[in-house]
Amino acid sequence: MTELIPAPRRVVAGSGEVRLTVHSRLYAGTGAEGVGHWLRTVLWQATGLPLREGRELDDTDIDGIGLQLDPGLGPEEYRLVSDSSGVLIEGGSAAGVFWGAQTLRQLLGPDAYRKAPLGRDRTWAVPHVTIEDAPRFRWRGLMLDVARHFTPKEGVLRHLDLMAAHKLNVFHFHLTDDQGWRVEIKRYPRLTEVGSWRARTKFGHRASPLWEEKPHGGFYTQDDIREIVAYAAERHITVVPEIDVPGHSQAAIAAYPELGNTDVITASIEGGTSLSVWDNWGISANVLAPTDNTLRFYEGVFEELLDLFPSDFIHVGGDECLKDQWRQSPTAQARIAELGLADEDELQAWFIGHFDKWLAARGRRLIGWDEILEGGLAEGAAVSSWRGYAGGIAAARAGHDVVMCPEQQVYLDHRQDPGADEPVPIGYVRTLEDVYRFEPVPPELTPEEAGHVLGAQANVWTEVMEDPARVDYQTYPRLTAFAEVAWSSLPAPAERDFAGFERRMAVHYRRLDALGVAYRPPSGPLPWQKRPGVLGRPIDGAPPNR
């Protein structure tokens, strides 16, 4: 019962238990019907118990389950009471009830996460307990990069289930990059006809001599996106799409060459006769041209996206935009002079600022990586602080909202151990304990400035993750530690009870087993999880904490 993850705010244990049987009922009050449908479905799959609908809260029979709203609780706050009358979950909203239902599932034991009963008689029981709980942050995010290695729709739905099980509520969907365009845009069909496939793929770090010599790609139809967004919403997860501009855009330029700086380069950087979707990792020199045609094109892209994604926030990337082509381009230089800008950094700020105003006029908010601070931050924009804490600190002090996702702390492509068996070792060593001691709010911020920290996000970049098992290995169990950091009110990093977290993880690994997660075991990679001879890019020493 005490092995709950994330750790609740308050737990009071009772004596006894609620036993669920074929006679138990589930009542969902007004506003909680969707949670009731979800809970009845997953528990029926795992237990075989029908949990028939109760007509009133006192009609759940003994040992039933009740779900209802309590306007006195915060939006995602919940209260779970299990006693002699049954189990009652109350939430300040349907989201609060849903997070309480996730806690109930944990209380039932790891087998409650299976898709079918195990075929043996067993007792399904919830210990008598009172739990009061609420999240620390309203943005508890996971970013999944599907541009470098594509994740089919069913895999995305699985990630959403795993996020829900960990009380994460923002799915940052990285849909475009140099290596692939992954979302159907009906008015621009070549984005997926051409931009969604590359001829081959680097295996390992970009310095690796290994290649997978076959096409790689895929994309989501607009109906796929609607399904993903609806599936997420049922789990109280917001999907924030990312369309990268003005850098990381080679796949789009390969599909529509006029988007590129055609007065500088019309051939690929490898010297071919036409630019193709990039097959290597790193930062492409091919960036969008700062022309009216480019602006109108991407307005068309975003118009279709706004119909697909109801999220308040739209992510526009804005990171790692190499400006060499702009420096060499007469068209770009003429635009700088026309606008009275100082340099190429201000040109990028103008580009981002255009879409900030465009999105704001349609009731949405722009968010971008912390490079959008360079050359002046667009008014109303929010920042994903990835290059450390500095960008987030600067943005918060300037009154902008921030999501903290510093590379050195919560980039889950970074290696988990210094050992030689660690597969494709990238970056700094970030152990489970390191992630558990991550603190999203920099101590330099005043309380008012800290109020601009919306929350935190763990980022899963997939350059060296060639299949779902590799994504699982890099993501888990570290995402579990991150989820507790984002949800629970923990002490200062040095004072956190990591030994207690490890004790709770001993049970949580069994939940991950039931969910089919190919996580990294505490003892190290299993033989089939290793990648001997595949070059990575390890960085020695402790990462900077700034």
Side-chain angles (χ1 to χ4, degrees):
M1 184 271 295
T2 58
E3 289 80 18
L4 297 174
I5 293 178
R9 182 177 63 194
R10 181 172 179 266
V11 179
V12 178
S15 58
E17 62 184 18
V18 174
R19 292 197 175 190
L20 300 181
T21 71
V22 294
H23 303 294
S24 300
R25 292 182 179 269
L26 190 154
Y27 167 79
T30 302
E33 298 93 343
V35 182
H37 172 75
W38 174 87
L39 184 60
R40 182 178 288 110
T41 299
V42 296
L43 293 187
W44 178 80
Q45 287 176 338
T47 69
L49 300 177
L51 293 176
R52 295 179 180 86
E53 186 175 350
R55 291 182 294 277
E56 299 291 344
L57 196 56
D58 58 0
D59 184 41
T60 57
D61 288 348
I62 258 190
D63 305 335
I65 300 170
L67 310 173
Q68 66 180 21
L69 302 188
D70 179 347
L73 298 175
E76 293 189 277
E77 187 176 8
Y78 72 89
R79 181 190 307 111
L80 185 155
V81 179
S82 170
D83 57 23
S84 57
S85 62
V87 180
L88 175 62
I89 300 172
E90 298 173 294
S93 68
V97 176
F98 183 73
W99 304 130
Q102 292 289 354
T103 297
L104 171 64
R105 202 178 181 193
Q106 289 197 16
L107 292 171
L108 284 167
D111 288 342
Y113 290 84
R114 298 191 178 275
K115 295 291 188 184
L118 295 181
R120 59 173 179 260
D121 291 337
R122 61 156 297 166
T123 298
W124 294 98
V126 181
H128 286 178
V129 65
T130 298
I131 297 172
E132 296 174 348
D133 201 9
R136 179 185 178 190
F137 294 110
R138 64 182 174 121
W139 187 300
R140 306 181 300 280
L142 170 70
M143 189 224 73
L144 180 65
D145 165 25
V146 298
R148 274 52 176 269
H149 279 101
F150 180 62
T151 300
K153 181 193 69 177
E154 289 301 321
V156 174
L157 301 182
R158 173 177 176 267
H159 282 291
L160 293 170
D161 280 331
L162 291 170
M163 287 179 64
H166 291 86
K167 298 186 173 73
L168 299 174
N169 71 338
V170 178
F171 180 59
H172 176 167
F173 208 5
H174 184 79
L175 288 164
T176 72
D177 219 295
D178 298 309
Q179 297 83 6
W181 184 284
R182 304 292 179 223
V183 56
E184 177 189 27
I185 302 298
K186 291 186 182 294
R187 74 186 71 183
Y188 304 129
R190 285 176 60 83
L191 286 172
T192 47
E193 290 171 1
V194 174
S196 68
W197 287 91
R198 58 179 181 264
R200 63 176 186 168
T201 298
K202 177 71 73 170
F203 191 40
H205 181 252
R206 61 180 174 271
S208 168
L210 304 175
W211 294 88
E212 186 179 38
E213 296 285 354
K214 66 178 183 180
H216 177 87
F219 67 94
Y220 309 101
T221 68
Q222 293 200 357
D223 282 344
D224 290 338
I225 294 293
R226 292 184 181 96
E227 181 181 353
I228 288 167
V229 169
Y231 194 88
E234 187 180 33
R235 287 147 184 80
H236 299 276
I237 295 170
T238 298
V239 183
V240 176
E242 179 181 354
I243 301 295
D244 240 318
V245 296
H248 286 295
S249 298
Q250 184 165 325
I253 298 168
Y256 291 91
E258 65 272 21
L259 297 174
N261 295 280
T262 55
D263 55 352
V264 174
I265 184 168
T266 57
S268 74
I269 58 174
E270 289 80 17
T273 57
S274 63
L275 191 66
S276 59
V277 178
W278 208 21
D279 60 10
N280 211 335
W281 313 131
I283 308 171
S284 171
N286 292 287
V287 303
L288 297 174
T291 64
D292 290 343
N293 174 69
T294 301
L295 297 180
R296 300 293 90 75
F297 183 97
Y298 274 86
E299 287 171 2
V301 169
F302 285 120
E303 280 178 5
E304 294 195 23
L305 279 184
L306 297 190
D307 286 339
L308 297 171
F309 295 95
S311 166
D312 289 339
F313 285 97
I314 303 295
H315 206 292
V316 301
D319 63 316
E320 298 180 328
C321 178
L322 298 182
K323 300 179 176 67
D324 293 344
Q325 288 186 356
W326 287 354
R327 294 186 184 98
Q328 299 164 18
S329 164
T331 301
Q333 292 302 311
R335 179 53 63 105
I336 289 174
E338 172 196 340
L339 297 170
L341 304 177
D343 55 21
E344 291 75 21
D345 284 344
E346 288 195 4
L347 183 61
Q348 177 172 342
W350 165 83
F351 200 106
I352 297 297
H354 173 86
F355 287 103
D356 177 56
K357 295 182 180 68
W358 189 92
L359 289 167
R362 290 154 180 80
R364 307 298 184 94
R365 292 187 64 189
L366 179 146
I367 184 168
W369 303 110
D370 56 51
E371 283 94 333
I372 67 173
L373 290 162
E374 298 167 1
L377 181 59
E379 184 180 356
V383 170
S384 300
S385 186
W386 77 274
R387 293 181 296 178
Y389 289 95
I393 292 170
R397 285 176 172 168
H400 294 276
D401 289 339
V402 178
V403 176
M404 298 303 301
C405 49
E407 174 186 16
Q408 302 89 343
Q409 315 301 325
V410 288
Y411 268 36
L412 300 185
D413 54 329
H414 282 217
R415 57 190 173 138
Q416 304 183 63
D417 188 90
D421 287 338
E422 202 62 26
V424 200
I426 298 294
Y428 294 101
V429 174
R430 294 287 80 193
T431 65
L432 183 66
E433 182 173 359
D434 290 330
V435 175
Y436 190 67
R437 298 193 189 280
F438 164 60
E439 173 49 49
V441 179
E444 299 96 320
L445 296 181
T446 66
E448 181 180 358
E449 293 165 347
H452 285 290
V453 178
L454 300 177
Q457 181 171 288
N459 293 342
V460 179
W461 299 103
T462 61
E463 288 94 334
V464 299
M465 304 179 204
E466 74 280 1
D467 58 39
R470 280 286 291 129
V471 175
D472 277 8
Y473 179 92
Q474 291 297 133
T475 305
Y476 293 94
R478 291 184 296 180
L479 189 67
T480 302
F482 171 82
E484 181 147 312
V485 169
W487 176 277
S488 305
S489 296
L490 299 176
E495 300 168 7
R496 292 176 187 171
D497 181 11
F498 181 67
F501 178 75
E502 282 190 304
R503 184 187 65 250
R504 288 180 285 126
M505 277 301 301
V507 173
H508 197 72
Y509 284 121
R510 292 169 54 204
R511 298 181 189 124
L512 296 179
D513 287 334
L515 287 163
V517 179
Y519 58 84
R520 182 189 190 276
S523 57
L526 299 167
W528 52 88
Q529 294 175 320
K530 301 174 185 178
R531 296 291 187 276
V534 181
L535 188 66
R537 184 184 58 89
I539 304 174
D540 294 329
N545 191 24
R546 63 178 187 274

